[in-house]
Amino acid sequence: MTDKEKYTALMQRYWEAETTPAEERALARYAARTDDPDFEELRGVLGYLSLGRARRAGQARTVRIWSLAAVAACIAIVLVIGLSAPRGKGERYIRYTYGQPTTDKELIMESVENSLKEMFQR
């Protein structure tokens, strides 16, 4: 049995949805390498399917990016509201850096602004 006969039989099984994923990958590799017009329709179908997979992967990536941006925005809003809310008699700001507390309001707000800039520049 020649390669063409083998892959023609495999193509027939593919059209009848009787191939395994490994056989489909092998058939796709063969169809991509050959210039045989008998495999023209198969190349068209496989090309169309690969574009659909790539588009779905791109859409999933876009959803993940927007979800991450939404979470980061929510965290930033909570931080800003939490740090700007009045605390009893006077405002009190505390930041811990490497276990050391800092209460300098200007330094803390600068740190928050820098964190927000880092988050949204990615």
Side-chain angles (χ1 to χ4, degrees):
M1 178 181 271
T2 64
D3 271 354
K4 181 178 178 177
E5 291 170 344
K6 173 185 167 186
Y7 285 105
T8 300
L10 192 57
M11 182 172 54
Q12 287 304 110
R13 289 184 48 229
Y14 176 78
W15 294 133
E16 294 167 5
E18 296 176 351
T19 54
T20 65
E23 289 173 328
E24 289 177 18
R25 286 190 298 273
L27 182 60
R29 280 193 299 272
Y30 179 78
R33 287 191 318 256
T34 187
D35 291 332
D36 191 336
D38 292 342
F39 290 89
E40 187 79 25
E41 187 177 355
L42 178 66
R43 279 193 296 274
V45 169
L46 293 174
Y48 178 76
L49 292 175
S50 68
L51 285 175
R53 285 187 201 110
R55 180 175 290 173
R56 279 195 309 270
Q59 288 172 344
R61 182 172 184 256
T62 302
V63 168
R64 282 192 304 267
I65 289 171
W66 280 106
S67 298
L68 182 61
V71 168
C74 290
I75 290 171
I77 290 170
V78 168
L79 284 173
V80 168
I81 290 172
L83 289 175
S84 64
R87 308 218 187 267
K89 294 179 184 176
E91 295 179 349
R92 184 170 178 198
Y93 300 89
I94 299 176
R95 177 186 83 172
Y96 289 92
T97 307
Y98 302 109
Q100 299 297 320
T102 304
T103 56
D104 181 7
K105 177 182 175 182
E106 298 300 320
L107 187 63
I108 293 170
M109 293 311 290
E110 181 181 329
S111 174
V112 169
E113 288 176 13
N114 291 336
S115 296
L116 291 174
K117 285 179 187 175
E118 271 184 42
M119 264 194 287
F120 290 109
Q121 286 180 355
R122 291 184 186 177

